[in-house]
Amino acid sequence: MKANKFYKRIFDQYFRKHICLVSLLITLVMLNVVFSSINPFLFGTLIDNLNRKDFNKTILFIMVYVILAFITSILEIVRGNLSMVLSYNISSDMKKALFNQYLRFETSTRDKYNTSELLNRLQNDSDLIVSFYLNVITNVLTIIINIIVPLIFIITISLQNTVISLLNIPLVFVLNILFKCRIEENEGKRRKYGDDLISFLFLHLDNFVHIKIFNMEEKTTLNYKKVLADGYDIEKDNRKTVNCMTILRSLISMIISFLTFYLFSKLIIDNKMTIGNMVSYSAYVSRLYEAVSKIMELNINTINVGISLGRIGQMMNESIEKVNNDMSIKDANNFIHKIKTDHLSFSYDNSDFILKDISFNISKSGLYAIVGENGCGKTTLLKILFGLYHVDNGMFFINGLDINLLPIEYIRKEIIYTTKETFIIDDTIKNNLKLANENATDKDIEQACRCSGLKSDFDLFDKKIDTILGTGGMQLSSGQKQKMNFARALLRKGSVYIFDEITSDLDGVAEKNIVEKIRELSVNNIVIFITHRTYPLIYSDNIFVLNDGRILHSGNHIELLKKSEYYKELFSLLRSNEQDG
């Protein structure tokens, strides 16, 4: 019942609005099948007229046969074109809806899927579902007509042979039922293998340089060979199942055909039937068997599409970021001037806590640093502040209000989050910068580039700010990418700025320039940043020292050097690393 509701939901959501085109497609299919169903009768009658040497009737039936064949061909072309248009439009609608659903996933939901799995669901599964629905819509009529019309003709020609020919149908149905579980199991393995294969390729195609750094060319090739071998084993198992079904079907068909032709031979020799009748009968039986085969095919495809529907259904039913309608942006107070956590703890997937009993209070503008060893929970804390993860243990307040109750669009508007990684599209420098603010003027962009130190870099390009960066920003160094991240932050207007190691790849001069601009921002805004560099720490108004998910100490640089041995050792280690670098 649940599956039937989901099938109906797919039809209502994506097919119903194209009902006129679907109806036209059904009409074309029906006309095509009706016209093509007459052809075997005409061909058989044509042969009988030839045997009787009736030239005039022979010519007449040839003309009718050719005209119907031509009409059938035209109808098939129109049907094919219409089917292509429908398939593309409906598939595009489904993909857009799924992609929109994906973009609104909660971050914890996104963490459950790998990229290749999502790609397969968005592209392959949606295409398979649409193709299946169109096949059902068009094939059901075809099957019905190709069962009823042939049955009428073959019963009329020979009832005895009809009984024998129809024995094939229940035998094939039983065969199909026997192999159904095996087919379903094989299809599940194939889908899983498809996800794993794309994951492998994504990983190694994106890490070309790292493979060379670690001399992994031969090892990677061997691993790829093993992945392909796994795929071959799965296809081999599937082929065994298909071969068994094919052999048994052929055996049944061969026995039935032998008995049918044996009876026909006797009837023709006894002058109780003509050769034309036998030709017509054979053609109509073939159509009948073809209709039965389509039923079997639809049954097999139901298994395949059932897996796809399950995968798509899982995505459609995932939790998405909730837009809080109870509290407007105005109610939330536009400018953030206070951030507080109270005994906050957090874990991914209910595993070990990453953050443990975190409590701090930021009540005025200033420069706030978060430091600690790798893996202590710094970035996780920033992601919670940006609303990427829910707070389930403890409290997180913005302007005295629970962050879980605030509209997500308010948080994303007022808090400017700059990550370590730089998102770059294959477009101009200007359009990449305008991702932060599509309303930014040329003057705004030039000012942001000057402040971030990008202006002198981009002026070296022939087309300057109109230079195409290429996929992943291949023309930019890692330091230039970090400068672009900072320039984007400047193009947005918020009340809280979060920076996650945005100076890690900069030289000393560039770093000092960025830090000075961050200090200017902190005069009227709350600025929170993660760093493993010593220079920004010296100028921070307050530093939160994290260790194993807990805040050990807080204070400014001078205070922490006096009261925190852990911070003193950490600062010395950071400075030593900078000197070694």
Side-chain angles (χ1 to χ4, degrees):
M1 183 64 72
K2 203 172 183 180
N4 290 336
K5 284 184 178 179
F6 194 63
Y7 275 103
K8 185 177 182 301
R9 177 183 170 187
I10 293 290
F11 181 84
D12 290 340
Q13 192 168 349
Y14 302 109
F15 285 81
R16 193 170 292 283
K17 64 180 177 180
H18 300 282
I19 196 67
C20 292
L21 286 178
V22 171
S23 300
L24 179 58
L25 180 64
I26 292 170
T27 303
L28 288 170
V29 169
M30 189 163 61
L31 288 172
N32 193 5
V33 174
V34 169
F35 284 139
S36 62
S37 295
I38 301 171
N39 285 340
F41 168 75
L42 291 174
F43 192 67
T45 308
L46 175 63
I47 291 174
D48 284 340
N49 284 316
L50 277 172
N51 285 333
R52 288 194 294 267
K53 298 181 181 180
D54 190 335
F55 180 75
N56 291 332
K57 285 189 177 181
T58 300
I59 294 297
L60 177 63
F61 276 101
I62 288 174
M63 288 176 63
V64 174
Y65 182 82
V66 169
I67 290 170
L68 278 178
F70 179 75
I71 293 172
T72 302
S73 298
I74 296 298
L75 287 172
E76 181 59 27
I77 290 170
V78 176
R79 185 207 63 80
N81 289 337
L82 182 57
S83 183
M84 179 200 70
V85 170
L86 269 173
S87 179
Y88 174 80
N89 289 337
I90 296 171
S91 181
S92 295
D93 289 345
M94 182 177 288
K95 288 173 183 177
K96 283 186 287 186
L98 286 171
F99 195 63
N100 182 61
Q101 172 81 355
Y102 160 73
L103 293 176
R104 282 155 181 75
F105 274 0
E106 292 183 348
T107 309
S108 56
T109 301
R110 172 61 182 89
D111 292 343
K112 296 192 297 187
Y113 298 90
N114 61 52
T115 303
S116 60
E117 186 179 3
L118 288 168
L119 181 62
N120 264 332
R121 294 185 189 214
L122 286 167
Q123 288 296 118
N124 300 336
D125 286 331
S126 54
D127 283 340
L128 183 62
I129 289 169
V130 172
S131 176
F132 173 78
Y133 271 81
L134 287 177
N135 280 336
V136 169
I137 290 168
T138 56
N139 283 338
V140 165
L141 264 178
T142 305
I143 290 167
I144 292 171
I145 295 172
N146 278 341
I147 287 176
I148 293 173
V149 174
L151 270 176
I152 292 170
F153 276 97
I154 64 175
I155 289 172
T156 303
I157 294 169
S158 174
L159 180 60
Q160 188 179 15
N161 277 349
T162 299
V163 173
I164 295 173
S165 297
L166 291 179
L167 285 174
N168 186 45
I169 296 174
L171 292 173
V172 171
F173 265 111
V174 170
L175 193 64
N176 199 61
I177 292 169
L178 290 174
F179 282 91
K180 184 176 180 179
C181 292
R182 183 63 177 168
I183 292 168
E184 189 171 356
E185 181 184 343
N186 288 344
E187 187 59 28
K189 288 180 181 178
R190 291 173 76 181
R191 298 296 179 87
K192 177 67 169 59
Y193 170 74
D195 291 341
D196 292 343
L197 176 61
I198 295 178
S199 290
F200 179 91
L201 291 173
F202 265 133
L203 176 65
H204 293 87
L205 292 174
D206 280 346
N207 290 280
F208 178 77
V209 174
H210 292 94
I211 290 171
K212 291 188 174 297
I213 289 172
F214 296 110
N215 295 318
M216 290 177 60
E217 291 91 340
E218 186 175 345
K219 183 178 179 181
T220 303
T221 302
L222 290 173
N223 287 339
Y224 187 44
K225 184 179 178 181
K226 183 179 181 302
V227 171
L228 293 176
D230 291 341
Y232 174 75
D233 289 340
I234 291 170
E235 287 301 321
K236 191 167 64 174
D237 288 343
N238 186 60
R239 179 48 55 186
K240 285 179 183 177
T241 304
V242 171
N243 288 343
C244 286
M245 288 185 69
T246 303
I247 290 170
L248 290 172
R249 280 179 182 174
S250 298
L251 186 62
I252 293 169
S253 179
M254 188 171 59
I255 293 170
I256 298 295
S257 297
F258 173 79
L259 291 172
T260 303
F261 280 109
Y262 173 77
L263 286 174
F264 263 121
S265 299
K266 288 190 68 178
L267 290 170
I268 291 170
I269 291 169
D270 294 338
N271 292 319
K272 293 180 180 178
M273 188 170 291
T274 65
I275 294 175
N277 289 149
M278 186 182 76
V279 170
S280 296
Y281 182 92
S282 299
Y284 281 119
V285 167
S286 294
R287 283 180 173 274
L288 182 63
Y289 287 169
E290 184 182 337
V292 173
S293 294
K294 282 189 178 294
I295 295 174
M296 307 299 175
E297 185 181 325
L298 285 176
N299 187 36
I300 298 298
N301 288 342
T302 302
I303 297 171
N304 297 342
V305 85
I307 294 171
S308 291
L309 282 169
R311 287 154 60 97
I312 294 294
Q314 184 184 9
M315 281 187 67
M316 292 173 72
N317 293 324
E318 289 285 13
S319 56
I320 60 174
E321 288 183 327
K322 295 176 182 176
V323 177
N324 193 311
N325 296 318
D326 298 330
M327 184 181 296
S328 68
I329 290 178
K330 186 177 179 181
D331 294 331
N333 190 343
N334 282 341
F335 196 85
I336 297 176
H337 59 273
K338 187 175 181 180
I339 298 172
K340 179 183 177 182
T341 66
D342 188 15
H343 301 291
L344 184 148
S345 297
F346 178 80
S347 67
Y348 295 101
D349 295 329
N350 297 318
S351 54
D352 294 336
F353 282 109
I354 304 297
L355 299 175
K356 305 166 186 174
D357 199 31
I358 297 289
S359 296
F360 67 81
N361 186 17
I362 297 174
S363 57
K364 62 180 180 178
S365 300
L367 188 58
Y368 299 88
I370 300 175
V371 296
E373 296 178 356
N374 290 329
C376 69
K378 303 185 296 295
T379 298
T380 300
L381 183 58
L382 295 190
K383 287 180 177 179
I384 291 173
L385 175 56
F386 191 61
L388 293 177
Y389 292 99
H390 287 298
V391 177
D392 295 323
N393 293 280
M395 300 296 292
F396 203 138
F397 300 100
I398 290 180
N399 291 349
L401 302 171
D402 185 349
I403 192 173
N404 288 331
L405 300 178
L406 292 173
I408 197 68
E409 63 269 26
Y410 164 68
I411 295 173
R412 301 285 160 77
K413 175 180 173 291
E414 287 300 311
I415 299 177
I416 313 303
Y417 182 28
T418 303
T419 63
K420 288 180 284 189
E421 304 81 16
T422 308
F423 175 57
I424 295 179
I425 59 175
D426 187 8
D427 206 335
T428 63
I429 294 168
K430 180 179 179 179
N431 287 338
N432 268 282
L433 288 168
K434 290 186 78 169
L435 290 176
N437 180 4
E438 61 183 14
N439 297 317
T441 64
D442 290 347
K443 185 178 179 181
D444 294 332
I445 292 171
E446 184 175 354
Q447 179 63 22
C449 288
R450 286 186 187 278
C451 290
S452 63
L454 278 176
K455 182 72 168 62
S456 57
D457 293 334
F458 291 164
D459 282 346
L460 297 175
F461 294 128
D462 291 337
K463 294 184 179 179
K464 295 184 170 45
I465 203 166
D466 292 316
T467 301
I468 300 289
L469 290 178
T471 305
M474 61 181 69
Q475 297 196 53
L476 300 181
S477 67
S478 58
Q480 287 171 328
K481 289 178 181 178
Q482 288 197 325
K483 290 178 184 178
M484 178 174 278
N485 258 351
F486 185 63
R488 283 174 172 167
L490 295 177
L491 286 171
R492 299 183 66 188
K493 305 300 179 185
S495 47
V496 176
Y497 289 83
I498 301 175
F499 300 108
D500 191 346
E501 292 193 59
I502 65 161
T503 64
S504 58
D505 292 333
L506 298 178
D507 59 49
V509 175
E511 180 187 26
K512 287 180 180 179
N513 174 59
I514 295 290
V515 171
E516 287 305 313
K517 298 302 176 186
I518 289 176
R519 290 179 68 191
E520 291 176 16
L521 272 177
S522 70
V523 173
N524 296 310
N525 300 275
I526 294 173
V527 178
I528 304 172
F529 68 96
I530 293 173
T531 186
H532 288 101
R533 306 291 284 262
T534 58
Y535 183 73
L537 293 175
I538 295 170
Y539 295 99
S540 297
D541 296 306
N542 200 11
I543 302 168
F544 299 104
V545 184
L546 259 67
N547 182 30
D548 191 27
R550 301 177 186 274
I551 295 179
L552 289 185
H553 302 99
S554 64
N556 62 37
H557 174 63
I558 300 300
E559 292 170 345
L560 288 172
L561 285 178
K562 293 178 181 178
K563 70 178 182 181
S564 175
E565 194 63 34
Y566 179 81
Y567 176 78
K568 188 175 180 180
E569 291 177 4
L570 183 63
F571 186 81
S572 297
L573 180 62
L574 295 177
R575 173 156 286 179
S576 175
N577 290 339
E578 289 173 353
Q579 291 171 349
D580 292 342

